[in-house]
């Protein structure tokens, strides 16, 4: 590696990664580094945006009533349990703000924005490490961190591992947290990619007022530029969170798209059909090339070639030279660059990835 520039903070930052590897701009790169649905955005989106343009001349409803009612119908909760947010990212920062200058536990390796949000709100952070290769949670290890926390952040399904903490483990965790007065923030940004029904924790909101669920419409509908998400919690908590949110944080076009996006059942069915076909195929293909693959419940895989940070970098560099952008893991505590995250794409692109990896084997 010839450059000493920084690692990109998120997926999709091709120029930063190329610079890091001292490589010239390569066109075109296939992006396996962002966990976006290759089937989206839905094809009716442009017309819906055009139809909503006239509304840009007015302020949005500050309470986003129509959008919250659409979400409430879908989730089976009271509209007052919902706060519309400027992407899942804003929801993370609002949740951290609830316990400003308090103590947080972050289950890691996981999405880097929990730590950034905690730092922004002056929280002291302790990390609770999930260890490879299973990245599962031993409930016995929770007692002592919970005793020293005000808020716990975890991601389910987890980015970057693709694993899903089992429902019974979540119930015991929420119970233990409630006894210690700890708020539990569960980021469900990828929950729609789990094709077995009933895995979202929404029904637990009725039993645990210490639970906050975060959602994003970014990943499923391929809309990272739109900035649309929401959170679910008990009514009092939502009221407190809203008090910390800037007014009109969600723009009119985003708010107008909530109901039609959630109502597009056909898009979700097609997404699940793609996942059922491509996920086992890519997993088998990667394993047959000698890569260790963490079994995933969603639309990306965490893989490694062998242990040690340089193995991850070597894999990233070779893929870049083959025109493929993968996600490094240097900013995921506990992975430290030894692993690489690969998104699941369409069949032709997945084949291209496997071919590039096979060429790596032969050279
Ligand atoms: C786990 C997780 N939560 C939240 C987000 C942020 O989502 P959004 O783009 O809706 O802000 C991401 C984006 O990568 C993510 O991976």
């Amino acid at each position: 590696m010839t450059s000493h520039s920084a690692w990109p903070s998120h997926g999709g930052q091709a120029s930063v990664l190329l610079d890091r590897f001292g490589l010239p701009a390569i066109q075109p790169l296939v992006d396996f580094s962002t966990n976006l649905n290759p089937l989206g955005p839905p094809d009716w989106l442009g017309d819906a945006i055009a139809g909503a343009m006239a509304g840009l001349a007015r302020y949005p409803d500050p309470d986003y009533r129509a959008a919250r009612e659409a979400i409430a119908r879908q989730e089976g909760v009271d509209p007052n349990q919902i706060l519309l947010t400027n992407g899942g990212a804003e929801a993370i920062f609002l949740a951290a703000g609830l316990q400003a200058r308090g103590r947080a536990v972050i289950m890691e390796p996981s999405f880097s924005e929990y730590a950034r949000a905690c730092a922004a709100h002056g929280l002291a952070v302790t990390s609770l490490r999930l260890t490879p290769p299973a990245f599962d949670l031993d409930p016995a290890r929770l007692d002592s961190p919970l005793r020293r926390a005000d808020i716990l952040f975890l991601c389910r399904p987890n980015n970057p591992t693709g694993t899903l903490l089992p429902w019974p483990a979540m119930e015991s965790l929420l119970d233990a947290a409630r006894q210690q007065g700890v708020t539990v923030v569960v980021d469900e940004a990828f929950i729609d990619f789990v094709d077995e029904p009933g895995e979202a924790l929404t029904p637990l909101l009725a039993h645990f007022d210490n639970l906050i669920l975060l959602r994003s419409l970014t990943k499923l509908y391929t809309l990272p530029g739109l900035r649309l998400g929401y959170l679910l919690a008990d009514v009092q908590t939502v009221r407190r969170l809203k008090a910390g949110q800037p007014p009109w944080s969600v723009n009119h076009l985003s708010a107008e798209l909530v109901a039609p996006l959630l109502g597009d059942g056909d898009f979700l069915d097609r997404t699940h059909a793609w996942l059922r076909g491509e996920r086992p195929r890519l997993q088998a293909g990667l394993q047959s090339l000698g890569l260790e693959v963490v079994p995933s419940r969603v639309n990306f895989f965490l893989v490694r070639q062998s242990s040690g940070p340089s193995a991850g970098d070597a894999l990233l560099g070779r893929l870049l030279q083959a025109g493929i952008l993968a996600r490094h893991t240097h900013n995921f505590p506990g992975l430290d660059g030894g692993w690489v995250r690969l998104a699941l794409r369409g069949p032709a692109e997945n084949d291209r990835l496997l071919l590039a990896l096979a060429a790596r084997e032969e050279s």
Side-chain angles (χ1 to χ4, degrees):
M1 215 182 297
T2 56
S3 168
H4 296 288
S5 55
W7 289 102
S9 52
H10 294 287
Q13 296 168 277
S15 58
V16 185
L17 197 69
L18 287 165
D19 191 38
R20 172 89 208 184
F21 279 85
L23 292 170
I26 305 168
Q27 291 297 333
L29 281 176
V30 186
D31 188 1
F32 282 82
S33 72
T34 47
N35 297 330
L36 298 169
N37 186 351
L39 274 57
D43 50 16
W44 49 262
L45 192 88
D47 287 344
I49 289 179
M53 292 288 272
L56 288 176
R58 294 185 296 273
Y59 276 96
D61 167 11
D63 294 321
Y64 302 104
R65 265 170 284 230
R68 286 194 298 118
E69 274 159 23
I71 298 168
R73 277 193 299 278
Q74 174 104 352
E75 301 281 0
V77 299
D78 185 305
N80 293 321
Q81 290 185 270
I82 298 161
L83 185 65
L84 208 61
T85 60
N86 193 291
E90 188 192 30
I92 294 168
F93 275 68
L94 290 175
L98 269 189
Q99 300 288 353
R101 290 171 294 286
R103 300 156 306 169
V105 172
I106 304 179
M107 214 171 272
E108 288 180 313
S110 201
F111 187 45
S112 57
E113 293 299 326
Y114 312 134
R116 248 172 45 88
C118 288
H121 288 284
L123 282 113
V125 173
T126 313
S127 169
L128 183 66
R129 289 285 166 86
L130 305 177
T131 48
F135 296 102
D136 51 11
L137 177 70
D138 175 3
R141 285 181 49 220
L142 265 170
D143 273 2
S144 127
L146 282 182
R147 257 184 271 124
R148 285 177 277 115
D150 301 304
I151 190 164
L152 166 68
F153 283 87
L154 71 91
C155 189
R156 178 184 183 273
N158 190 26
N159 172 15
T161 60
T163 49
L164 186 80
L165 291 176
W167 181 289
M170 288 308 302
E171 275 185 307
S172 0
L173 183 154
L174 282 161
D175 205 27
R178 182 170 50 193
Q179 285 174 36
Q180 304 289 343
V182 179
T183 302
V184 180
V185 181
V186 182
D187 185 346
E188 296 190 324
F190 290 96
I191 198 70
D192 296 310
F193 291 102
V194 178
D195 50 357
E196 299 82 1
E199 279 290 0
L201 296 184
T202 325
L204 293 183
L205 289 167
H207 307 286
F208 294 99
D209 61 3
N210 58 331
L211 173 62
I212 301 176
L213 296 178
L214 311 186
R215 298 287 178 76
S216 162
L217 279 78
T218 298
K219 311 294 182 178
L220 176 65
Y221 301 104
T222 329
L223 293 171
L226 193 67
R227 314 307 307 135
L228 184 55
Y230 59 95
L231 58 80
L232 303 161
D234 89 313
V235 176
Q236 305 296 339
T237 308
V238 167
R239 204 169 291 147
R240 286 174 58 210
L241 287 160
K242 186 168 166 52
Q245 184 183 39
W248 309 292
S249 192
V250 177
N251 70 73
H252 163 74
L253 296 178
S254 299
E256 286 292 298
L257 287 171
V258 169
L261 286 170
L262 295 183
D264 192 346
D266 175 59
F267 182 77
L268 188 64
D269 291 346
R270 286 191 289 115
T271 298
H272 287 167
W274 155 71
L275 279 163
R276 281 193 291 272
E278 283 304 293
R279 187 170 47 207
R281 194 177 78 84
L282 186 61
Q283 176 170 343
L286 293 168
Q287 284 168 329
S288 74
L289 292 168
L291 289 167
E292 181 180 351
V293 183
V294 178
S296 169
R297 301 286 296 274
V298 285
N299 58 325
F300 50 85
F301 285 110
L302 189 63
V303 306
R304 70 175 166 184
Q305 199 171 357
S306 54
S307 44
S310 56
D313 293 352
L315 190 56
L316 273 179
R318 298 301 297 269
L319 285 172
L320 263 185
Q321 268 156 346
I324 288 174
L325 189 62
R327 173 68 159 92
H328 75 86
T329 56
H330 284 278
N331 60 342
F332 289 110
L335 301 183
D336 308 318
W339 299 73
V340 167
R341 194 190 67 198
L342 295 167
L344 190 65
R345 298 203 52 85
E349 289 175 327
N350 292 337
D351 281 343
R352 180 166 165 192
L353 170 68
L354 291 173
L355 270 175
L357 288 166
R360 163 197 63 101
E361 286 284 285
E362 281 155 21
S363 61

